[in-house]
Amino acid sequence: MDALCSADPRPRGRRGEPPVCSCPEPGPAASLLPWARFSAWLECVCVVTFDLELGQAMELVYPYDFRLTEKEKTNICYLSFPDSYSGGLGDTQFSFRLRQSGGQRNTHFGDDGEYNREAPLTLQRESAHYFGYVYFRQVKDSSMKRGYFQKSLVLVSRLPYVNLFQSLLQLIAPEYFDKLEPCLEAVCNEIDQWPPPVPGQTLNLPVMGIVIQVRIPSRVDKPGSSPLKQFNQENLLPAPLVLPSVHELDLFRCFQPVLIHIQMLWELMLLGEPIVVMAPSPTISSEMVLALTSCLTPLKYCCDYRPYFTIHDSEFKEYTTRTQAPPNIVVGVTNPFFIKTLQHWPHLLRIGELKMSGDLPKQVKVKKLTKLKTLDTKPGIYTSYKTFLHKDKTLIKRLLKGIQRKRPSEVQSALLRRHLLELTQSFIIPLEHYIASLMPLQRAITPWKNPPQIRPFRQEDFMKTLEHAGPQLTCVLKGDWLGLYRRFFKSPNFDGWYRQRHKEMTQKLEALHLEAICEAVCSDKRG
């Protein structure tokens, strides 16, 4: 079944055609390599099927010359099927994220640096992980030996554009399952004509007779601003499929069973705590994990996360070992076996299918870890964690009132996203002000000396600034903010934030120093 993966490594167009001759086009975005435009969006497309002898097996990788290691293929195969505990008939969509193995490799796509410099930190192209976006179909089929047709179409990318790629799968997967390989080749060739994802631009992406219109977020966008303004629609017939966001999920729908615990979940994510999300399906698992990682925007979540994880994953032993503390990771699972293997983890969020209590979604309760049973664990947040901040009862009341008034989900999501954004900004702004004060004064930069050093970050000095310039200036929430900062300083999220800011400040200092040298040289020449 894997023969296609080891096909002739020369670049090809459609299958069986001679190598593609790619002529340079004018401008910096010229495609100098075959599949360069395709690779700006996707690494490859995989088809995973169920083989009676092998189990899940890789049927196809496209483009044919794209190389996955055996470990990557095995992981993709297992992650592309719901496990037997959550399988049902019909179509299922979900996402996963896996570690790249085999070191750095060449890609058809050029330098990621330009995109990453302009994109928000939360949407940068991953260098060490792949995202997998899955469309799985399981239907009865008497022509198959097992009596079922089971197959997944998987888009593999380094971009966290969950909304775009899942929408793309809704268009191409049903067609692929009917028409198979020729349809897939045609779609990939269409994607190879797309313009690259340039932050700040609104793009029209044609596929299968439909135009998807998206705006690629930019680092200079105002946080919380409205994403997409439609444009040039009068020239597009039929009207385009407009996606309001390439990456944002319906936060309200994802968080419905845990609305009253949003504060606790935000704190756990901020502190990089190890969390298991136990869900009834890969769809619910992956959406909950991705929703949790988006809680901290615009702060980048710097820990590991796996929207869907199975016992067959190559990292299974690493995550389940009891010889060391659980890693800083949020992991989404569906197999109840994980309740036993991960019961030493400090936080487990068990969610079931959404149930309503009258007009309102039934809320899970916080329970002690000792109540965790290996079998038949009821929905709940199993943790001994005590929050530093008090609950925001106003937010909960507004959301519950919105449910009673049947307010649209996108409006509820916007409310929730705005609240989380303001909470994160209230927390991070004092840190931003303090670190900016560590930058040397411009007058200290002289052309004939090395640039001055950035002063060290001293936690106690920062804590002293909070009395007059703390989160209380922008946030009404009461609680132990100092305790939260002290705990945050020990987390990978603080380390990631500090490294990024220090790098940016160093680059700014070097640029100012270079500017001072140029001015001095020019004035010498004039003199």
Side-chain angles (χ1 to χ4, degrees):
M1 281 219 177
D2 230 356
L4 290 169
C5 303
S6 53
D8 186 340
R10 291 174 299 167
R12 292 180 180 272
R14 295 175 187 274
R15 196 175 183 193
E17 291 182 2
V20 175
C21 175
S22 180
C23 301
E25 299 172 12
S31 281
L32 298 175
L33 288 168
W35 300 111
R37 288 172 178 262
F38 176 90
S39 299
W41 296 91
L42 296 171
E43 297 293 303
C44 64
V45 180
C46 301
V47 177
V48 180
T49 192
F50 193 88
D51 182 281
L52 272 176
E53 294 176 1
L54 302 173
Q56 284 101 305
M58 189 75 76
E59 183 178 300
L60 173 70
V61 177
Y62 198 88
Y64 300 117
D65 62 315
F66 187 80
R67 289 282 180 262
L68 290 166
T69 65
E70 288 306 313
K71 184 192 274 191
E72 288 166 348
K73 286 181 195 173
T74 302
N75 282 338
I76 288 171
C77 282
Y78 281 116
L79 289 167
S80 298
F81 271 44
D83 62 40
S84 55
Y85 294 92
S86 56
L89 290 180
D91 294 353
T92 305
Q93 286 185 257
F94 57 94
S95 313
F96 62 80
R97 182 174 177 265
L98 78 152
R99 194 181 293 168
Q100 179 183 303
S101 62
Q104 292 293 323
R105 65 193 71 170
N106 292 331
T107 172
H108 294 299
F109 182 61
D111 180 27
D112 291 339
E114 191 175 349
Y115 169 84
N116 280 354
R117 276 192 298 276
E118 296 176 12
L121 293 174
T122 52
L123 291 181
Q124 289 186 334
R125 194 184 298 272
E126 292 261 7
S127 60
H129 292 84
Y130 292 131
F131 294 98
Y133 304 99
V134 183
Y135 193 108
F136 170 72
R137 174 168 287 184
Q138 178 170 269
V139 291
K140 286 184 178 178
D141 186 343
S142 55
S143 67
M144 309 291 285
K145 282 186 180 178
R146 298 179 82 231
Y148 289 96
F149 172 94
Q150 291 175 304
K151 197 166 282 197
S152 283
L153 183 63
V154 188
L155 305 181
V156 179
S157 176
R158 294 186 187 278
L159 294 167
Y161 292 174
V162 59
N163 206 24
L164 170 63
F165 290 129
Q166 291 293 8
S167 299
L168 182 61
L169 279 170
Q170 287 170 13
L171 295 174
I172 64 177
E175 197 78 6
Y176 166 73
F177 290 135
D178 287 342
K179 298 176 182 171
L180 301 179
E181 204 171 321
C183 164
L184 193 58
E185 293 189 6
V187 165
C188 289
N189 277 283
E190 280 192 286
I191 295 172
D192 196 35
Q193 302 304 312
W194 286 4
V198 177
Q201 287 192 6
T202 301
L203 306 176
N204 290 322
L205 309 174
V207 62
M208 294 175 58
I210 292 169
V211 174
I212 303 174
Q213 193 172 95
V214 294
R215 183 184 181 279
I216 307 302
S218 164
R219 195 177 289 199
V220 297
D221 293 344
K222 186 182 174 186
S225 58
S226 178
L228 178 60
K229 293 184 177 69
Q230 297 177 21
F231 84 133
N232 287 352
Q233 287 200 207
E234 64 277 5
N235 301 325
L236 296 173
L237 290 172
L241 169 63
V242 179
L243 296 184
S245 167
V246 288
H247 67 288
E248 287 179 351
L249 294 165
D250 185 338
L251 266 196
F252 176 70
R253 181 173 52 79
C254 296
F255 284 146
Q256 276 201 84
V258 293
L259 289 174
I260 63 172
H261 305 299
I262 285 292
Q263 197 76 38
M264 173 187 278
L265 294 171
W266 176 83
E267 285 190 22
L268 291 175
M269 295 304 293
L270 181 73
L271 301 175
E273 287 288 306
I275 304 173
V276 185
V277 174
M278 178 83 209
S281 71
T283 307
I284 296 174
S285 152
S286 59
E287 287 192 342
M288 178 60 85
V289 171
L290 291 174
L292 286 169
T293 59
S294 74
C295 272
L296 302 182
T297 304
L299 184 68
K300 184 178 181 180
Y301 179 70
C302 296
C303 306
D304 199 357
Y305 61 98
R306 300 301 165 92
Y308 175 54
F309 190 76
T310 76
I311 57 172
H312 304 287
D313 197 286
S314 55
E315 272 89 54
F316 176 74
K317 285 184 180 175
E318 181 185 329
Y319 294 160
T320 55
T321 179
R322 292 177 183 240
T323 57
Q324 56 195 45
N328 301 95
I329 181 174
V330 181
V331 60
V333 300
T334 59
N335 189 331
F337 176 70
F338 277 104
I339 293 177
K340 183 177 182 181
T341 55
L342 300 179
Q343 64 184 350
H344 60 296
W345 279 40
H347 320 285
L348 185 141
L349 169 56
R350 175 76 159 101
I351 44 178
E353 297 289 353
L354 185 65
K355 291 180 181 174
M356 301 301 285
S357 176
D359 291 335
L360 307 176
K362 192 170 183 183
Q363 299 294 289
V364 303
K365 295 177 180 175
V366 175
K367 302 182 180 185
K368 292 179 181 175
L369 284 162
T370 50
K371 302 270 183 174
L372 197 58
K373 296 176 184 173
T374 23
L375 294 170
D376 196 30
T377 295
K378 291 180 179 176
I381 301 178
Y382 292 84
T383 180
S384 55
Y385 180 80
K386 302 294 181 198
T387 57
F388 287 92
L389 305 181
H390 304 157
K391 270 185 187 174
D392 187 341
K393 293 179 181 175
T394 312
L395 170 77
I396 296 162
K397 283 176 185 172
R398 287 177 73 189
L399 291 171
L400 295 180
K401 191 177 283 185
I403 296 170
Q404 290 165 333
R405 292 179 176 176
K406 297 187 168 43
R407 192 185 287 150
S409 187
E410 58 267 25
V411 179
Q412 295 277 76
S413 281
L415 260 174
L416 197 47
R417 191 169 278 113
R418 179 106 216 140
H419 168 78
L420 292 167
L421 172 68
E422 289 172 356
L423 185 56
T424 303
Q425 285 180 322
S426 293
F427 182 83
I428 216 75
I429 284 170
L431 285 162
E432 296 283 3
H433 285 164
Y434 174 71
I435 202 167
S437 73
L438 304 179
M439 186 81 163
L441 296 172
Q442 193 158 349
R443 66 168 179 262
I445 300 169
T446 59
W448 316 123
K449 291 182 182 177
N450 287 333
Q453 296 292 303
I454 298 163
R455 292 192 296 281
F457 189 108
R458 300 189 193 283
Q459 293 179 14
E460 289 309 315
D461 288 351
F462 165 73
M463 297 299 251
K464 288 172 189 172
T465 69
L466 294 178
E467 187 179 347
H468 302 293
Q472 72 277 6
L473 297 181
T474 52
C475 186
V476 295
L477 284 185
K478 305 293 183 190
D480 182 10
W481 285 98
L482 272 73
L484 187 59
Y485 279 112
R486 289 190 196 283
R487 187 88 171 259
F488 176 69
F489 289 143
K490 298 173 185 174
S491 79
N493 288 328
F494 170 71
D495 187 58
W497 171 83
Y498 176 72
R499 284 171 186 271
Q500 177 65 29
R501 286 291 174 269
H502 197 275
K503 177 183 167 187
E504 290 168 359
M505 289 163 71
T506 303
Q507 288 169 345
K508 176 76 174 168
L509 265 180
E510 287 169 355
L512 289 170
H513 186 239
L514 193 59
E515 197 178 295
I517 292 171
C518 291
E519 283 179 7
V521 170
C522 289
S523 62
D524 279 356
K525 284 184 178 178
R526 284 194 298 268

